[in-house]
Amino acid sequence: MKAHRALLALAISTGLLSLAACGPANRTGDGTTGGGTENESADAFVARANETLKKMTPEFSSAAWLGATYINDDSQRVEAAANERWLTQLNAFIEQAKRYDGNGLSPETARSLLLIKTGASMPAPRDPARLNELSNLASELGGMYGAGKWCPPGKSGDDCMDIGEISEVLAATESSSYDEMRAAWEGWHTISIPMREKYQRFVELTNEGAREMGFANTGEVWRAGYDMPAEDFQAEADRLWGQVQPLYEQLQCYTRGKLEEKYGERGSVDGMIPAHLTGNLWQQDWSNLWPLLQPYEGVGSLDITGALQRQRDGILNELAARAGGFMRLTPAQQVELERKADIEMATRMTRLAESFYTGLGMPQLPESFWEKSMLVQPRDRDVVCHASAWPMDTVGEDVRIKMCIKPNEEELTTIYHELGHIYYYLAYHGQTPLFQNGAHDGFHEAIGDTIVLSMTPEYLASIGLVDKPAVSQEAVINSQMRMALSKVAFLPFGLMIDRWRWGVFDGSISPDRYNAAWWELKAKYQGVAPVEARGEDFFDAGAKYHVPGNTPYTRYFLSHVLQFQFYKALCDAAGHQGPLYTCNFADNAEAGRRYWAMMQRGASQPWQQTLKELTGGEQMDASAVLEYFAPLQEWLVQQNQGRTCGWAAAEAPAAAAPADAVDADAADADADAAPADAAPADDEADA
């Protein structure tokens, strides 16, 4: 999933400091652990909590940054210690917040107390030994993912493949063979096998912490953070899914039909799409199937990846010319020029995204952003390449992104998404630290994706990435299909991950059915399946970052609804006339003013009120999704005539032995890292 926010200590607290939760436990005098008394007023307590967060954010953010960008024993130790201090402090905050019953409090204080009590995505036990164990498990699980590599049979060491290399095999849907994609997909899913027992213990410990907070389990804590009763939230998500499900089912049917045309009977599994054939490790984004699914070949000339790669090659050729030509360069010098070209191209892509936001009247990114962000993958160490955005302090002076940017369309849109987080941080940094977050977590993910919706063919042509688009129905369908392969394909995936975790947390999914339940839910919601049974020796959920990274995922589903609501509201503000999908509000001052005003609210009021200020309504609604994709949905229905659409979400098949286990050296290295991303993301974005 693209786009995923950096959340200190592996998403310890989504309600505190949006992505960087900070502050230690209860030592009087220095703001690090306590300082309160039995008679401390609610106002004084909230003020102390805010001051603690403000003082400690840089330290803990830096620990998390090191854990993600310098994966080794030392960074894991530093981050784990920071995690433990924060968890201790968070427990102290929660315990004290429970003392106040809300009577006679100001709205600001009452809301601050609510956010403290519902903000822990990793509720920790009060017992110091168990808290220490949980903190170490969090770092270990994140590190196992970040350092994960698959070693193909007969390979070792430098020949082992990391997630980026494996993703490239899957993305090359035209040149990679069926068997190559299957081997790569199965290979990546070996990296999570060693996580299974650790994750089971992680669940036990967070559930213990949740019960001590007064909740039934960790999932209930997560659902309590949406300004509505926790028991109502799942029904709300189901309602939104019901609105968009028919559109997704038509897209799934069309895609499966094309895969069957290409691969014959290997192109589907009982009406479901084979898991390794969507061009994506988790089947959450089908954009890499564009060559196969393109409705009208060549119409619109939307080869964004080709344009970016040509720009990068042009940079390299220019650098080589300055050095006297490639023939005069040693292999080592050529490698250095390649590196410089990659850095320059990544910077250009990021500057391009920045220009959209500044065109709306938002400020330029601070110079420290360009000095401290990680835009390309380092060559000398392991890092978590999963894209993320980071607020390193509470005053808006140090914001960063962490990506391993490559010149392709998906990476470009991910940058636009991640800068949405960055500009949200900059917009609400004037709020108190407890209010420095999205109105709810789905808002944070939707900000940048709303901008992505405005990256219409006309916009892309205006910045020179595609030809001036032809005005035709075929061009419209092509454009909508490209968008649907990202946006619509993602919707059920955005829902099912937390459906699985909610079941794990409440015990309805027992440890001996972790994998079976995972594939049952993927079948039910996505209509995808593995080509062979995946037994309980596997832990396929752990092959998605947000599971070992403990990042709640429903936010990404909600964001895929909200972004269309935001987009429609901004298009109305810009005075757009015509079909919704044609709206490009780039450089529109009024749209920018209204968007910035909403973003400045942060978490200072219930999300329903913030939503109403921008859209006029207090309810999340997927009708804008359907309005946007109306031409494509009609076209898909026509294309699917005569096909048998739908699928049977059967029980998970019988167990099978795991694929070749991850290389032992790589498995050992897994425990050395401590990433601090929350999604995409991603994939992403995230999600």
Side-chain angles (χ1 to χ4, degrees):
M1 169 71 199
K2 58 185 115 174
H4 311 323
R5 303 180 298 146
L7 188 53
L8 175 63
L10 299 150
I12 285 174
S13 174
T14 58
L16 302 179
L17 279 185
S18 78
L19 304 187
C22 310
N26 201 6
R27 302 182 196 107
T28 59
D30 65 357
T32 59
T33 11
T37 67
E38 288 295 327
N39 297 321
E40 186 176 32
S41 70
D43 288 343
F45 165 61
V46 167
R48 179 168 59 83
N50 277 315
E51 185 63 23
T52 300
L53 294 171
K54 181 179 179 180
K55 287 182 177 180
M56 302 309 299
T57 294
E59 175 192 345
F60 290 126
S61 297
S62 294
W65 178 264
L66 290 173
T69 60
Y70 290 83
I71 297 178
N72 56 42
D73 289 338
D74 294 325
S75 64
Q76 182 182 4
R77 188 177 300 114
V78 169
E79 188 186 20
N83 289 352
E84 185 174 352
R85 291 198 304 276
W86 166 242
L87 288 170
T88 302
Q89 176 64 86
L90 180 58
N91 279 345
F93 280 162
I94 291 169
E95 280 302 301
Q96 185 161 344
K98 288 160 60 177
R99 296 182 199 167
Y100 308 103
D101 61 12
N103 293 329
L105 301 180
S106 70
E108 293 79 9
T109 296
R111 182 156 185 82
S112 296
L113 293 171
L114 173 67
L115 293 176
I116 290 172
K117 288 185 285 188
T118 62
S121 65
M122 193 168 82
R126 288 195 292 267
D127 178 80
R130 291 189 178 91
L131 187 150
N132 176 269
E133 182 184 2
L134 177 61
S135 178
N136 286 323
L137 278 173
S139 287
E140 289 172 9
L141 286 166
M144 294 170 81
Y145 187 94
K149 290 182 173 66
W150 168 57
C151 297
K155 305 291 184 180
S156 62
D158 292 341
D159 293 327
C160 296
M161 301 174 70
D162 62 22
I163 187 172
E165 294 166 321
I166 292 171
S167 294
E168 287 178 357
V169 174
L170 293 177
T173 56
E174 291 294 281
S175 57
S176 296
S177 71
Y178 181 97
D179 291 335
E180 286 172 334
M181 289 187 286
R182 177 176 172 181
W185 182 87
E186 291 178 345
W188 176 250
H189 284 72
T190 64
I191 69 105
S192 56
I193 294 173
M195 298 179 189
R196 186 178 177 119
E197 290 186 7
K198 294 179 184 294
Y199 188 77
Q200 181 179 343
R201 179 58 177 161
F202 180 89
V203 169
E204 294 169 356
L205 291 170
T206 61
N207 273 346
E208 180 179 338
R211 288 190 295 270
E212 290 174 353
M213 289 168 55
F215 295 90
N217 56 70
T218 303
E220 188 174 285
V221 176
W222 291 6
R223 295 191 298 275
Y226 287 96
D227 293 308
M228 64 174 63
E231 59 271 18
D232 293 348
F233 178 68
Q234 182 166 333
E236 177 70 358
D238 288 338
R239 179 185 65 80
L240 295 170
W241 168 239
Q243 287 184 276
V244 297
Q245 184 177 358
L247 172 61
Y248 175 81
E249 289 177 347
Q250 289 296 321
L251 181 64
Q252 192 270 1
C253 185
Y254 174 77
T255 302
R256 173 170 54 84
K258 289 295 184 181
L259 290 170
E260 289 172 340
E261 289 176 13
K262 180 174 182 177
Y263 296 107
E265 64 181 14
R266 296 192 301 172
S268 65
V269 180
D270 298 327
M272 292 179 280
I273 295 172
H276 66 286
L277 291 184
T278 65
N280 178 271
L281 275 169
W282 312 283
Q283 309 85 52
Q284 70 182 61
D285 187 310
W286 303 351
S287 298
N288 290 317
L289 287 177
W290 172 251
L292 178 66
L293 303 181
Q294 180 179 188
Y296 301 102
E297 186 173 357
V299 176
S301 184
L302 296 176
D303 184 14
I304 300 168
T305 295
L308 293 170
Q309 290 174 342
R310 287 189 292 274
Q311 287 188 26
R312 185 267 184 192
D313 291 343
I315 295 170
L316 178 60
N317 290 334
E318 182 178 344
L319 291 172
R322 292 177 187 171
F326 284 110
M327 298 299 294
R328 300 184 61 180
L329 299 175
T330 66
Q333 289 172 326
Q334 290 187 34
V335 169
E336 287 303 314
L337 284 192
E338 294 268 0
R339 179 70 174 175
K340 289 181 179 179
D342 290 340
I343 294 172
E344 172 61 24
M345 188 62 203
T347 302
R348 286 190 188 184
M349 291 167 67
T350 308
R351 292 280 188 188
L352 191 62
E354 178 195 31
S355 70
F356 196 112
Y357 290 89
T358 57
L360 295 175
M362 299 182 192
Q364 289 187 324
L365 295 171
E367 192 59 35
S368 62
F369 173 89
W370 303 102
E371 296 170 353
K372 298 179 179 180
S373 290
M374 188 188 85
L375 300 183
V376 297
Q377 185 170 4
R379 294 176 295 177
D380 60 345
R381 61 188 187 272
D382 285 331
V383 300
V384 179
C385 278
H386 194 89
S388 55
W390 296 63
M392 304 298 290
D393 56 35
T394 64
V395 295
E397 293 179 353
D398 188 354
V399 291
R400 311 174 189 176
I401 64 171
K402 175 185 62 60
M403 291 184 64
C404 300
I405 296 173
K406 296 182 179 180
N408 61 53
E409 178 181 2
E410 183 176 1
E411 297 283 290
L412 181 67
T413 57
T414 297
I415 298 169
Y416 279 71
H417 169 91
E418 295 301 337
L419 289 196
H421 292 307
I422 295 294
Y423 276 98
Y424 211 173
Y425 305 150
L426 295 175
Y428 61 51
H429 82 265
Q431 297 283 353
T432 59
L434 284 169
F435 292 161
Q436 290 186 17
N437 203 346
H440 68 49
D441 52 13
F443 275 65
H444 232 300
E445 298 303 328
I447 297 296
D449 277 349
T450 301
I451 302 299
V452 172
L453 289 175
S454 198
M455 295 171 67
T456 61
E458 290 76 13
Y459 169 77
L460 295 170
S462 74
I463 59 176
L465 287 182
V466 300
D467 297 336
K468 185 176 181 179
V471 180
S472 68
Q473 183 65 14
E474 290 80 8
V476 168
I477 297 303
N478 267 11
S479 178
Q480 292 225 314
M481 178 64 79
R482 290 182 69 85
M483 187 68 75
L485 294 179
S486 172
K487 302 294 185 183
V488 178
F490 175 82
L491 287 164
F493 182 78
L495 200 63
M496 60 82 48
I497 285 189
D498 281 353
R499 287 290 191 272
W500 180 81
R501 284 190 291 193
W502 294 346
V504 167
F505 288 136
D506 70 20
S508 61
I509 297 175
S510 57
D512 63 345
R513 294 195 71 254
Y514 275 179
N515 223 45
W518 175 258
W519 286 105
E520 288 165 10
L521 287 167
K522 287 186 74 67
K524 175 182 177 180
Y525 286 104
Q526 290 185 274
V528 300
V531 295
E532 285 190 359
R534 307 283 296 176
E536 294 304 326
D537 289 329
F538 297 99
F539 182 53
D540 290 332
K544 174 62 179 172
Y545 167 75
H546 299 73
V547 174
N550 192 51
T551 305
Y553 209 80
T554 304
R555 63 179 61 168
Y556 300 107
F557 171 76
L558 298 178
S559 80
H560 276 64
V561 172
L562 284 170
Q563 64 192 251
F564 286 89
Q565 276 187 276
F566 294 172
Y567 176 65
K568 181 174 175 60
L570 295 175
C571 290
D572 289 343
H576 172 71
Q577 300 293 321
L580 181 59
Y581 61 84
T582 64
C583 170
N584 165 27
F585 56 77
D587 298 321
N588 187 275
E590 179 59 19
R593 183 192 66 78
R594 292 193 60 183
Y595 211 23
W596 188 255
M598 184 199 78
M599 293 159 66
Q600 287 180 305
R601 294 288 193 182
S604 63
Q605 61 188 16
W607 65 262
Q608 293 89 339
Q609 186 176 344
T610 301
L611 182 65
K612 184 176 182 179
E613 291 176 2
L614 180 66
T615 69
E618 296 184 357
Q619 187 177 54
M620 292 182 287
D621 180 22
S623 61
V625 179
L626 302 179
E627 179 183 351
Y628 183 96
F629 287 110
L632 179 65
Q633 185 167 11
E634 181 181 355
W635 184 87
L636 286 170
V637 170
Q638 294 172 352
Q639 299 300 308
N640 289 332
Q641 287 182 358
R643 287 195 180 117
T644 301
C645 293
W647 59 88
E651 292 293 313
D660 292 337
V662 66
D663 175 72
D665 292 337
D668 290 341
D670 283 350
D672 294 339
D677 312 39
D682 191 327
D683 59 136
E684 213 112 8
D686 113 130

